[in-house]
């Protein structure tokens, strides 16, 4: 990152040089100043720099800089040295130390006195040595070794001797002008009169040194998914820098790198306000956006970039698409304006995926073009395009991968075997991973959007008021795994020790606008990660009798929590809003044997399936029976689980999704009955007999846009059925051990990539794929008496799981690899119920409930308390984040009471 003045090739004297030939070659920043004390005052008043003192070594590093500034100040006022008007210091990377400071004092070459004796601010030299025939002095400054030498007319000092030795070897002459300085300084010299910093201060930044510094801290075999600063700048000269209450901003004159993607597409870009950010959701970690004025010029530049970095790739992809009848021109003709690339973890959190957003010229014309593409593909290919319905939207599945890469080159490459296209508002969305696309769509619909979250306000306001040609946003909360994962263990441990400070910088924004770049750090208030949350009880509901089961959450047609349902031992169902208003009330004359199942139809009308012993009822909201119900099962079939499974039905040509599905009733003998909305048996669910009692309700998952049902028995029999109730090849699988009643499914594009995980009570962790292949079987503990294991499935986003290991009140929480996160010895000795909620890096919550003592303890995954005192509760509880009020909502129950709590996300 360095912008430099044009080098004066006609120096006054043969033995003089300039700053560009003595500055450290890996300087991150170079500062030119007339008054060093003025800089010290600015540093001392900077809240950002004060915050950095909290970092390990931060106080020491800044004290060293104070001493060096004092040294520059004393040199300035010493007439014997003949110091020129300006002095310099730099922050350096990738030397023999992780980070170092250097200072540069230009003197009058005609001074023949020993210049080292004139550096009166330095202590007595501890040693003197020679390097390449030149005298090198060494001092201790604030406990750090400072190396000092005189090279021509410059006194050069550094806390890393490597940079002094480099300057001696160059002797003020030999340097990589073209690579580092010459072209850059020429281009930036025009801005000499456009600097708005304090008088006498100039700062240059160099992106390549920042990139090199960061790469040194990575494990070479591990990749991170975010762009390098080198994509945005070859070098900068700071125009202005400011600190506001929630923003640190640097605006710099910028030289765009010609061999980076942004350099190749520069000619196609114009400045505009960002219009695509309203489509971003909480889990988007990185977000790149370009505003395109000419789509053909953009595509041509992207193609040239592809040929540079991966020759032959684009031609190969385009030929493959063309052979299948996919005409890319029909897509490119529809695009204008904003194009964005969003990076997000897949549904399991195990890999990074990309979502591509492209603004459309005309929605109707795009729908027609997409239909034409489908017809062309179906005519020419043996595989057909599938239409998949999701929440009222229709997704086109083209059974050919990398449409985005074929359209715009390697920067938009996708490695999946299929491409999913969707029109969403005024944008085309392309993704290669259907679960990721579905999760993004669901998150947006339930308002997990940037524009609906208070903590994103500072970012949204910035994006709404900032014009740019190209920009990049990093969401620190969700990008933390990407920052941390590739780092070597030493640096990963270092960052984790200072997690709170780094997370307080919620967002970064890099924005290119013509010949300027803006770098912003944005704060939305400290997250206060791992600090106990304030909790407030807001509602208590009391029923006539003790509750028969845990409360369940009532959700609206879009999946938003709107209330909770209670069932007492008198077989009364009551549903309340979170304000305490009654939404539903019904009494029954027989035992309600399982949790009622809510269903929404195409018209947004709710109805509910209820099981009474061996009967299935289907009631509308006004409690009238729907046609075909009740359905009565054989007398020996006492219903244990009732599960409504809404099929993700195919969409129709007019983009309206059909509603379909089955209610599966599982009895205590392991028989599964499948009944449709008309009350009729479907397929092989007549019943389908698993021959063993099940330990969990049937679980629905998708692969290749087809529906499958997985079941697990108490003794470890695992079965996958298709939607019609037929056994899938490779099943059942028998494990012959008592299992824990949880199952974790990672959906993928094919069955052999779909992973199903469960754990036995004695600690055998089992993973199988959808084809019936055993992937992993690992013993996580010994067979101690009374020791049990459970999976804790993420109930917030269903993306991951933890492992609960307990024995006589000693509870251990482990991650999915079996590594211990924390442990606690409780006074209670009975078996605990464990739950896990992943609301993001600032709120990964583990709940430990002891039914006997009616206490629920809440912890962060590092073992610190999420709330100070336990909550009264004797079964599983519900917890979710309400974006409208910016609080967590927790619903607990005990005896005949249910209570609702609010927990502040930020205290």
């Amino acid at each position: 990152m360095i912008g430099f003045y044009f080098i004066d090739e006609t120096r006054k004297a043969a033995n003089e040089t300039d700053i560009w030939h003595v500055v450290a070659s890996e300087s991150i920043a170079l500062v030119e100043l007339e008054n060093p004390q003025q800089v010290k005052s600015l540093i001392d008043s900077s809240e950002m720099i004060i915050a950095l003192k909290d970092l390990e070594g931060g106080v020491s590093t800044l004290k060293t800089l104070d001493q060096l500034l004092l040294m520059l100040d004393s040199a300035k006022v010493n007439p014997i040295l003949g110091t020129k008007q300006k002095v310099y210091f730099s922050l350096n990377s990738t030397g023999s130390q992780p980070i170092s400071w250097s200072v540069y004092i230009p003197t009058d070459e005609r001074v023949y006195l020993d210049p080292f004796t004139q550096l009166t601010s330095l202590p007595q030299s501890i040693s003197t040595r020679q390097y390449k025939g030149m005298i090198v002095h060494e001092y201790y400054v604030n406990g750090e070794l400072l190396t000092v030498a005189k090279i021509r007319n410059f006194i050069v000092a550094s806390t890393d001797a490597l940079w002094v030795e480099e300057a001696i070897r160059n002797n003020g002459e030999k340097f990589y002008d073209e690579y580092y300085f010459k072209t850059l300084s020429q281009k930036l010299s025009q801005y000499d009169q456009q600097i708005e910093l304090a008088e006498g201060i100039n700062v240059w930044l160099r992106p390549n040194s920042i990139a090199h510094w960061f790469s040194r801290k990575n494990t070479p075999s591990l990749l991170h998914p975010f762009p390098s600063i080198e994509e945005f700048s070859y070098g900068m000269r700071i125009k202005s820098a400011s600190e506001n209450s929630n923003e640190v901003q640097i605006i710099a004159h910028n030289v765009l790198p010609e061999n980076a993607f942004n350099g190749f597409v520069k000619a196609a870009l114009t400045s505009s306000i960002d219009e695509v950010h309203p489509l971003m959701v909480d889990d988007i970690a990185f977000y790149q956006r370009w505003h395109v004025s000419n789509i053909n010029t953009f595509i041509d530049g992207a193609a040239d970039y592809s040929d540079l970095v991966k020759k032959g790739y684009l031609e190969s992809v385009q030929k493959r698409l063309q052979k299948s009848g996919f005409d890319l021109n029909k897509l490119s003709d529809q695009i204008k304006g904003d194009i964005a690339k969003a990076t997000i973890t897949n549904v399991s959190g195990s890999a990074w995926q990309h979502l591509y957003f492209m603004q459309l010229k005309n929605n109707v014309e795009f729908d027609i073009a997409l239909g034409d593409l489908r017809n062309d593909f179906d005519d020419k290919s043996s595989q057909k395009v599938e239409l998949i319905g999701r929440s009222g939207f229709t997704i086109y599945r083209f059974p050919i991968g990398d449409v985005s890469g074929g359209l715009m080159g390697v920067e938009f490459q996708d490695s999946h075997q299929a491409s999913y296209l969707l029109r969403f508002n005024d944008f085309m969305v392309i993704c290669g991973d259907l679960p990721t696309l579905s999760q993004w769509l669901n998150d947006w619909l339930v308002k997990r959007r940037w524009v609906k979250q208070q903590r994103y306000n500072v970012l949204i306001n910035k994006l709404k008021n900032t014009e740019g040609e190209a920009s990049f946003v990093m969401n620190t909360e969700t990008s933390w795994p990407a920052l941390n994962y590739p780092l070597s263990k030493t640096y990963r441990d270092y960052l984790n020790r200072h997690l709170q400070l780094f997370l307080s910088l919620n967002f970064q924004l890099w924005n290119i606008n013509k010949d300027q770049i803006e770098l912003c750090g944005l704060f939305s208030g400290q997250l206060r990660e791992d600090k106990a949350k304030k909790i407030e009880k807001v509602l208590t509901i009391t029923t006539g009798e003790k509750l028969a089961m845990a409360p369940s959450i009532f959700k609206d047609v879009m999946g938003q929590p709107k209330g909770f349902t209670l069932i007492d031992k008198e077989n009364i169902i009551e549903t309340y809003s979170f304000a305490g208003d009654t939404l539903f009330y019904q009494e029954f004359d027989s035992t309600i044997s399982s949790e009622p199942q809510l269903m929404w139809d195409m018209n947004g009308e709710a109805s509910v399936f209820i099981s009474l012993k061996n009967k299935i009822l289907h009631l509308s909201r006004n409690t009238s029976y729907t046609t075909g119900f009740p359905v009565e099962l054989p007398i020996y079939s006492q219903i244990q689980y009732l599960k409504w499974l809404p099929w993700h039905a195919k969409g129709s040509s007019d983009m309206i999704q059909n509603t379909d599905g089955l209610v599966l009733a599982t009895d205590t003998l392991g028989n599964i009955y499948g009944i449709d909305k008309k009350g009729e048996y479907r397929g092989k669910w007549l019943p389908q007999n698993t021959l063993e009692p099940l330990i969990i309700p049937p679980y629905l998952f998708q692969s290749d846009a087809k529906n499958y049902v997985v079941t697990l028995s108490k003794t470890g029999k695992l079965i996958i059925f298709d939607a019609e109730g037929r056994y899938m090849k490779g099943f059942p699988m028998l494990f012959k051990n008592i299992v824990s009643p949880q199952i974790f499914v990672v959906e993928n594009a094919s069955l052999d990539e779909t992973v199903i995980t469960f754990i036995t009570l004695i600690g055998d962790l089992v993973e199988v794929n959808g084809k019936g292949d055993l992937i992993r079987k690992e013993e996580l503990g010994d067979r101690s008496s009374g020791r049990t294991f459970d999976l804790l499935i993420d109930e917030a986003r269903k993306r991951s799981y933890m492992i609960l290991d307990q024995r006589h009140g000693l509870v251990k929480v482990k991650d999915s690899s079996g590594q211990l996160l924390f442990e606690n010895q409780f006074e209670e000795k009975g078996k605990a119920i464990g739950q896990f909620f992943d609301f993001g890096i600032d709120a990964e919550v583990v709940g430990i409930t002891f039914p006997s003592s009616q206490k629920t303890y809440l912890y962060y995954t590092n073992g610190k308390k999420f709330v100070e005192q336990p909550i009264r509760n004797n079964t599983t509880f519900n917890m979710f984040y309400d974006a409208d009020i910016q609080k967590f909502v927790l619903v607990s129950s005990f005896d005949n009471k249910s209570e609702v709590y609010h927990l502040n996300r930020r205290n």
Side-chain angles (χ1 to χ4, degrees):
M1 286 169 115
I2 259 183
F4 295 108
Y5 290 120
F6 179 69
I7 299 168
D8 184 2
E9 304 290 357
T10 57
R11 302 186 185 109
K12 290 186 300 181
N15 206 37
E16 288 193 358
T17 187
D18 54 39
I19 181 62
W20 318 120
H21 287 70
V22 292
V23 66
S25 61
E26 290 295 340
S27 55
I28 292 176
L30 176 68
V31 181
E32 177 187 68
L33 55 155
E34 293 180 3
N35 184 352
Q37 284 301 311
Q38 180 186 30
V39 174
K40 186 179 183 307
S41 299
L42 292 172
I43 290 173
D44 290 343
S45 63
S46 166
E47 292 186 14
M48 181 67 176
I49 293 178
I50 291 170
L52 291 176
K53 290 183 179 180
D54 291 338
L55 291 176
E56 187 176 308
V59 173
S60 175
T61 300
L62 291 171
K63 279 185 177 179
T64 299
L65 178 59
D66 283 348
Q67 292 294 314
L68 295 178
L69 290 172
L70 182 62
M71 173 182 167
L72 291 175
D73 195 56
S74 66
K76 281 273 297 179
V77 298
N78 189 335
I80 297 177
L81 279 176
T83 304
K84 303 299 172 80
Q85 188 177 12
K86 297 172 182 178
V87 290
Y88 305 83
F89 73 88
S90 67
L91 178 65
N92 316 311
S93 73
T94 64
S96 61
Q97 300 176 23
I99 214 83
S100 64
W101 298 106
S102 295
V103 296
Y104 313 90
I105 305 170
T107 66
D108 189 336
E109 181 56 27
R110 292 168 295 180
V111 174
Y112 296 103
L113 294 174
D114 179 2
F116 302 104
T117 61
Q118 303 302 315
L119 299 174
T120 55
S121 66
L122 290 178
Q124 188 67 31
S125 175
I126 62 165
S127 65
T128 302
R129 60 185 174 90
Q130 283 202 343
Y131 181 78
K132 300 290 185 181
M134 299 191 71
I135 299 174
V136 176
H137 291 250
E138 291 177 332
Y139 307 82
Y140 270 120
V141 174
N142 192 42
E144 288 194 69
L145 188 66
L146 183 71
T147 302
V148 186
K150 185 170 183 295
I151 298 106
R152 297 200 182 189
N153 60 311
F154 269 84
I155 297 174
V156 180
S158 180
T159 56
D160 188 341
L162 183 146
W163 303 124
V164 175
E165 293 171 359
E166 177 191 59
I168 291 173
R169 290 194 303 272
N170 293 334
N171 194 25
E173 285 290 346
K174 182 182 176 184
F175 226 116
Y176 307 107
D177 279 358
E178 189 65 35
Y179 178 67
Y180 282 119
F181 308 129
K182 190 172 184 179
T183 303
L184 185 59
S185 60
Q186 287 175 333
K187 290 182 177 180
L188 287 171
S189 62
Q190 60 184 299
Y191 303 116
D192 285 354
Q193 306 304 317
Q194 300 180 37
I195 304 302
E196 299 171 10
L197 297 172
E199 187 176 354
I201 297 178
N202 276 304
V203 182
W204 296 268
L205 301 173
R206 288 183 53 210
N208 53 350
S209 286
I210 291 179
H212 296 169
W213 177 83
F214 187 79
S215 65
R216 281 193 75 202
K217 290 155 181 54
N218 287 350
T219 302
S221 61
L222 302 177
L223 298 176
H224 57 74
F226 50 94
S228 166
I229 187 69
E230 289 179 290
E231 283 284 325
F232 288 76
S233 178
Y234 176 63
M236 309 176 204
R237 185 176 181 190
I238 293 183
K239 176 182 179 181
S240 65
S242 61
E243 286 190 26
N244 302 313
S245 60
N246 56 9
E247 178 182 354
V248 176
Q249 179 197 60
I250 294 174
I251 296 177
H253 298 293
N254 186 48
V255 176
L256 198 63
E258 295 178 358
N259 62 346
F261 180 78
N262 288 327
F264 274 88
V265 299
K266 170 75 173 173
L269 303 180
T270 56
S271 183
S272 173
I273 297 295
D274 185 327
E275 294 186 36
V276 70
H277 73 267
L279 302 186
M280 300 302 108
V281 298
D282 287 6
D283 288 340
I284 299 293
F286 308 100
Y287 162 62
Q288 288 178 267
R289 168 258 184 186
W290 301 266
H291 185 74
V292 178
S293 60
N294 188 312
I295 187 62
N296 292 323
T297 304
F298 184 87
I299 289 174
D300 290 344
D304 292 341
Y305 176 76
S306 279
D307 290 339
L308 175 71
V309 300
K310 197 173 183 179
K311 193 165 184 62
Y313 157 77
L314 186 59
E315 182 181 5
S316 173
V317 175
Q318 290 179 342
K319 282 183 177 179
R320 177 167 53 82
L321 291 167
Q322 186 178 18
K323 187 177 179 181
S324 298
F326 197 103
D327 185 356
L328 290 167
N329 291 326
K330 289 186 177 180
L331 285 186
S332 62
D333 289 345
Q334 302 298 323
I335 302 170
K336 69 165 189 177
D338 276 354
I339 294 174
K341 173 183 178 181
T343 303
I344 187 172
T345 56
N346 64 2
V347 293
S348 68
S350 60
W352 292 99
Q353 303 289 348
H354 297 301
L355 293 161
Y356 300 106
F357 301 85
M358 301 175 189
Q359 196 169 14
L360 298 172
K361 296 176 181 176
N362 184 289
N363 292 346
V364 175
E365 290 181 7
F366 173 76
D367 292 344
I368 295 170
L370 198 54
D372 291 344
L373 276 172
R374 176 195 178 190
N375 294 334
D376 294 345
F377 192 94
D378 287 348
D379 290 342
K380 204 163 185 177
S381 176
S382 58
Q383 294 180 291
K384 304 302 179 186
V385 178
E386 294 184 67
L387 300 182
I388 305 164
R390 287 289 189 277
S391 305
F393 294 87
T394 295
I395 300 169
Y396 284 68
R397 180 188 184 274
F398 287 86
I400 186 168
D402 209 8
V403 166
S404 55
L407 186 63
M408 294 188 176
V410 70
E411 184 72 9
F412 291 74
Q413 182 178 1
D414 188 275
S415 59
H416 292 86
Q417 300 303 307
S419 296
Y420 298 89
L421 276 69
L422 161 71
R423 177 173 67 77
F424 190 86
N425 296 346
D426 298 328
F427 285 84
M428 170 176 62
V429 186
I430 304 178
C431 184
D433 184 56
L434 180 60
T436 299
L437 180 60
S438 299
Q439 185 66 50
W440 163 79
L441 180 58
N442 180 70
D443 285 351
W444 195 91
L445 292 172
V446 299
K447 299 182 181 178
R448 293 187 70 245
R449 318 170 199 166
W450 288 2
V451 293
K452 291 292 183 180
Q453 306 285 342
Q454 183 179 344
R455 69 186 190 277
Y456 287 89
N457 283 354
V458 61
L459 174 62
I460 298 305
N461 290 335
K462 187 70 180 177
L463 293 174
K464 283 182 176 179
N465 294 285
T466 303
E467 288 193 353
E469 298 171 354
S471 58
F472 165 70
V473 173
M474 184 177 77
N475 180 359
T476 307
E477 290 179 44
T478 51
S479 65
W480 189 256
L483 292 171
N484 227 2
Y485 176 69
L487 294 177
S488 62
K489 185 178 185 305
T490 301
Y491 289 103
R492 191 184 310 132
D493 292 344
Y494 175 81
L495 288 182
N496 283 332
R497 286 197 296 273
H498 302 287
L499 180 62
Q500 171 57 38
L501 176 62
F502 292 117
L503 287 182
S504 65
L505 182 64
N506 303 114
F507 314 104
Q508 284 190 44
L509 169 66
W510 306 344
N511 185 65
I512 296 172
N513 189 15
K514 298 177 182 177
D515 57 6
Q516 291 187 4
I517 184 170
E518 180 177 358
L519 307 176
C520 279
L522 299 168
F523 303 78
S524 65
Q526 285 195 342
L527 290 177
R528 300 186 62 83
E529 192 273 340
D530 78 10
K531 299 291 189 287
K533 304 296 184 186
K534 293 178 181 177
I535 184 168
E536 176 189 10
K537 187 193 300 182
V538 295
L539 180 65
T540 299
I541 298 292
T542 303
T543 58
E545 294 290 333
K546 285 188 176 182
L547 296 173
M549 57 188 71
S552 58
I553 298 297
F554 167 73
K555 297 180 180 179
D556 66 15
V557 67
M558 302 307 295
Q560 285 279 57
K562 293 299 180 182
F564 57 100
T565 298
L566 305 176
I567 302 174
D568 67 18
K569 291 186 178 295
E570 285 293 316
N571 304 309
I572 298 174
I573 298 180
E574 306 169 64
T575 299
Y576 296 92
S577 72
F578 292 112
D581 301 322
T582 302
L583 303 178
F584 182 86
Y585 180 94
Q586 184 65 33
E587 300 179 13
F588 296 91
D589 57 5
S590 186
T591 302
I592 300 171
S593 57
S594 66
E595 181 182 317
Q597 298 292 297
L598 186 68
M599 187 198 84
W600 292 92
D601 65 17
M602 290 176 62
N603 300 316
E605 294 294 329
S607 59
V608 63
F609 294 99
I610 298 170
S611 63
L612 304 178
K613 294 184 177 178
N614 67 323
K615 289 184 181 180
I616 303 172
L617 312 182
H618 187 195
L619 303 178
S620 64
R621 189 164 184 172
N622 62 11
T623 69
S624 61
Y625 286 113
T626 58
T627 305
F629 288 86
V631 173
E632 189 167 342
L633 306 183
I635 192 64
Y636 57 80
S637 288
Q638 300 298 299
I639 299 173
Q640 181 182 15
Y641 303 115
L642 195 67
K643 193 71 174 178
W644 166 247
L645 301 179
W647 296 150
H648 291 312
K650 291 183 177 180
S652 61
S653 58
D654 58 354
M655 302 292 177
I656 301 297
Q657 178 184 323
N658 298 320
T659 303
D660 198 3
L662 287 180
V663 59
L664 295 187
T666 305
D667 67 18
T668 55
L669 303 175
N671 298 308
I672 306 176
Y673 299 83
I675 298 158
D676 63 18
K677 295 183 298 179
K678 298 177 181 179
E680 297 175 355
Y681 293 107
R682 287 275 297 270
K684 298 290 184 179
W685 308 106
L686 301 173
Q688 180 60 267
N689 195 342
T690 66
L691 302 179
E692 291 186 19
L694 300 186
I695 198 169
I696 59 169
Y699 183 94
L700 171 71
F701 72 92
Q702 271 208 324
S703 182
D704 272 337
K706 296 177 182 177
N707 300 295
Y708 298 94
V709 174
V710 60
T711 65
L712 182 65
S713 76
K714 185 176 181 180
T715 56
K717 179 191 280 189
L718 184 73
I719 306 175
I720 294 181
F721 301 96
D722 67 10
E724 295 299 315
R726 293 182 289 259
Y727 279 75
M728 294 300 296
K729 185 178 179 180
F731 295 91
M733 298 182 73
L734 306 176
F735 292 92
K736 297 181 180 179
N737 269 315
I738 304 299
V739 299
S740 172
Q742 298 91 17
I743 194 169
F744 181 66
V745 179
V746 178
E747 296 183 13
N748 218 309
S750 61
L751 283 174
D752 57 353
E753 294 176 322
T754 296
V755 179
I756 302 164
T757 305
F758 64 91
I759 196 169
T760 67
L761 286 183
I762 58 175
D764 292 338
L765 188 68
V766 179
E767 290 182 0
V768 301
N769 68 11
K771 292 287 190 181
D773 302 319
L774 181 65
I775 299 173
R776 175 186 179 192
K777 188 174 182 182
E778 181 180 352
E779 292 184 8
L780 298 182
D782 56 33
R783 288 355 188 205
S784 303
S785 174
R787 187 179 188 184
T788 60
F789 290 80
D790 293 282
L791 287 191
L792 309 185
I793 310 301
D794 167 22
E795 298 180 35
R797 296 186 284 184
K798 306 293 189 294
R799 297 179 55 157
S800 57
Y801 65 87
M802 298 288 183
I803 297 168
L804 189 71
D805 172 3
Q806 59 178 309
R807 182 172 185 260
H808 303 316
L810 176 61
V811 175
K812 299 180 181 180
V813 176
K814 303 177 179 180
D815 64 19
S816 57
S817 68
Q819 294 298 308
L820 181 67
L821 298 176
F822 73 92
E823 62 180 88
N824 208 336
Q825 179 67 62
F826 293 90
E827 294 179 359
E828 296 89 347
K829 303 302 179 186
K831 191 174 188 304
I833 301 170
Q835 293 176 261
F836 171 49
F837 301 84
D838 182 0
F839 295 108
I841 192 69
D842 65 314
E844 296 171 317
V845 183
V846 174
I848 307 294
T849 300
F850 290 95
S852 58
S853 64
Q854 297 189 341
K855 289 181 181 180
T856 291
Y857 301 86
L858 298 179
Y859 297 94
Y860 291 95
T861 52
N862 62 6
K864 295 186 178 182
K865 291 182 179 181
F866 191 72
V867 295
E868 285 291 351
Q869 299 300 321
I871 296 167
R872 192 171 182 189
N873 180 57
N874 67 355
T875 184
T876 55
F877 62 92
N878 287 283
M879 189 175 178
F880 62 91
Y881 181 65
D882 189 330
D884 293 332
I885 62 174
Q886 304 291 310
K887 293 180 179 181
F888 299 107
V889 178
L890 186 148
V891 182
S892 65
S893 63
F894 59 91
D895 299 336
N896 66 333
K897 295 182 185 296
S898 181
E899 297 179 333
V900 178
Y901 295 87
H902 284 172
L903 294 81
N904 289 347
R905 186 155 196 155
R906 290 173 177 78
N907 291 335

